[in-house]
Amino acid sequence: MSRLGKVAVVYGTRPEIIKLAPVITQLGDDAYVVDSGQHYDHELSGQYRAVFGIGEPDVRLDGVGGQPRAEQISRMLVGLTRVFEQQRPGIVLVQGDTNTVSAAAQAANYLGIPVGHVEAGLRSYDRAMPEEINRLVAGALADVHFAPTHRSAVNLINEGIDREVVMVTGNTVVEATHRAIRRSSVPVASWFPNGSIPPAFAVATIHRPENTDSAPALARILRGLQGLAMPVLFFVHPRTRAAIERFGLQRETNGLILHASPASSDFLQVLSAATVAVSDSGGVQEEATVLKVPVAVIRNSTERPEAIDAGWATLIRPGIDIPAAVARFLRSERPDPSVPSPYGDGAASLRIAAVARLIAAGREPSVALRIAAAYSGQEAPSDAVVDSGSVPR
């Protein structure tokens, strides 16, 4: 059965749902939504669909969530190939850097279906990060690259991608953040045991393997959170919760205010009121920057240097004293909150949907981008410079 003219939108994780929801809304009936099943529980998937009002997907794969990475990608590759064979779309959209992105891009490419990569061109230059490998795979297979920032577009062009298939769209996180925060009905004070908002507080999220796969790394972070000079709302990812139990680090959470992962709208509402965020999440780096909340990034590297360049983020690598680094960061001068977000003007999904529709209708990617750019003014930069000084770290 053919669905030529349809735009297959593939997601499988919380960040993908959040960032693709505006695109799905813009596409309306032209969207054919596929859930890879990478995050299979309600806590990390179902609630986000409800918040953004995108309903259930058209197709959901089974037996993917909770599997090791290689097994997960292989199962998704087989499952998505069958989906695209049975319901062949005109283009497949993937978003970001998850295992779902790698599998969906491969499945579509092997079947000769154009691939559009949303949030293309981010680079940490750290191949130890699984996300970096997924980004590179998507970059190699995509037919059209929707770069969220000028810097991301330059990364792609410096890697040899034809500038005619690169478009700076902005990041859909801007739209998603503002839309979600309006839907929250949970008062910020309700997250605190005494029902009162303290004068200063931190919001923390930790989930990446580099921080949760070893006891020393996770213990360092938990003790660092305990050492902050303010109450800490710690929203505990299921992976992190399991690691705390596995390593016996419950004592290192004493004094922290623990909560399960909340709905996106509720998380963003409390984030907007926080003094500082402490996180290893790429999405939180962006969301905090959109909301103009300082964010301390607990990682060895970041693929989102724009937040750091804008003055809203700082990188705290292993070996650095977390409480001292957060205190220094909070003492540093913040930019004017009226300065626009480095992630764009909030119209990214409109641009992405327009290009996707044109490609699904049979236009070549370069032609589709030229048509869309003529209306939006969003084109690939012409000043890519191939030298070590242009590589963000």
Side-chain angles (χ1 to χ4, degrees):
M1 180 178 179
S2 174
R3 282 186 178 261
L4 184 63
K6 287 284 187 177
V7 178
V9 183
V10 185
Y11 62 63
T13 68
R14 165 193 173 275
E16 290 166 299
I17 294 170
I18 291 171
K19 292 184 177 180
L20 286 173
V23 179
I24 292 169
T25 300
Q26 286 287 348
L27 287 169
D29 291 341
D30 291 329
Y32 179 62
V33 182
V34 181
D35 185 340
S36 74
Q38 182 173 336
H39 282 173
Y40 57 97
D41 63 338
H42 178 76
E43 182 178 353
L44 291 176
S45 292
Q47 61 174 290
Y48 297 105
R49 288 193 296 270
V51 166
F52 288 97
I54 57 173
E56 291 294 314
D58 294 293
V59 177
R60 180 185 292 110
L61 301 186
D62 295 321
V64 173
Q67 300 297 323
R69 186 182 181 211
E71 180 76 11
Q72 199 171 75
I73 291 176
S74 64
R75 290 190 183 193
M76 285 191 286
L77 178 55
V78 172
L80 291 170
T81 297
R82 289 173 179 161
V83 169
F84 297 154
E85 285 176 330
Q86 294 168 3
Q87 308 278 354
R88 186 179 180 91
I91 182 174
V92 172
L93 292 184
V94 298
Q95 191 280 325
D97 54 20
T98 67
N99 293 343
T100 295
V101 170
S102 176
Q106 291 179 72
N109 178 267
Y110 300 159
L111 293 173
I113 301 170
V115 176
H117 187 197
V118 178
E119 199 178 78
L122 277 66
R123 297 291 182 267
S124 68
Y125 301 97
D126 180 0
R127 291 175 66 91
M129 292 176 60
E131 295 84 358
E132 183 75 354
I133 302 303
N134 291 337
R135 284 189 288 267
L136 292 170
V137 170
L141 298 177
D143 297 276
V144 58
H145 306 258
F146 300 111
T149 67
H150 177 99
R151 190 168 192 164
S152 298
V154 170
N155 289 342
L156 291 164
I157 294 167
N158 284 349
E159 291 172 5
I161 302 296
D162 186 345
R163 70 179 68 248
E164 291 191 354
V165 294
V166 178
M167 184 181 196
V168 180
T169 59
N171 196 314
T172 59
V173 73
V174 178
E175 301 151 78
T177 298
H178 290 305
R179 178 190 296 186
I181 204 168
R182 290 194 296 268
R183 290 175 174 259
S184 176
S185 59
V186 178
V188 173
S190 68
W191 295 104
F192 296 91
N194 62 0
S196 178
I197 303 174
F201 70 92
V203 166
T205 73
I206 299 294
H207 76 282
R208 287 186 178 265
E210 67 185 90
N211 291 326
T212 60
D213 282 359
S214 79
L218 184 54
R220 164 186 170 264
I221 293 169
L222 294 175
R223 291 167 188 155
L225 294 177
Q226 288 177 321
L228 296 183
M230 64 187 75
V232 178
L233 292 176
F234 184 20
F235 294 103
V236 189
H237 189 284
R239 176 191 292 145
T240 310
R241 185 186 306 126
I244 290 170
E245 294 173 359
R246 183 170 68 252
F247 299 137
L249 296 175
Q250 289 86 348
R251 288 182 59 185
E252 278 71 14
T253 65
N254 290 345
L256 305 178
I257 305 169
L258 306 182
H259 292 285
S261 299
S264 178
S265 57
D266 298 331
F267 174 76
L268 291 171
Q269 177 75 2
V270 72
L271 176 63
S272 69
T275 305
V276 64
V278 181
S279 180
D280 60 7
S281 164
V284 172
Q285 290 176 61
E286 295 168 345
E287 291 160 348
T289 301
V290 171
L291 296 171
K292 309 300 172 66
V293 175
V295 54
V297 183
I298 310 297
R299 281 169 49 177
N300 191 53
S301 60
T302 181
E303 65 287 352
R304 292 168 172 85
E306 293 89 352
I308 293 175
D309 293 344
W312 292 104
T314 189
L315 192 63
I316 301 180
R317 293 186 170 92
I320 296 176
D321 183 276
I322 293 173
V326 170
R328 284 195 301 272
F329 179 47
L330 291 178
R331 288 195 301 267
S332 64
E333 186 176 353
R334 296 271 84 73
D336 184 344
S338 66
V339 174
S341 166
Y343 295 113
D345 60 3
S349 65
L350 183 65
R351 298 179 182 112
I352 293 165
V355 173
R357 281 194 178 101
L358 288 166
I359 295 174
R363 299 275 190 170
E364 290 294 320
S366 59
V367 175
L369 259 65
R370 282 200 299 273
I371 294 171
Y375 287 95
S376 70
Q378 302 295 305
E379 301 182 71
S382 59
D383 58 345
V385 179
V386 184
D387 62 41
S388 59
S390 71
V391 178
R393 297 286 182 181

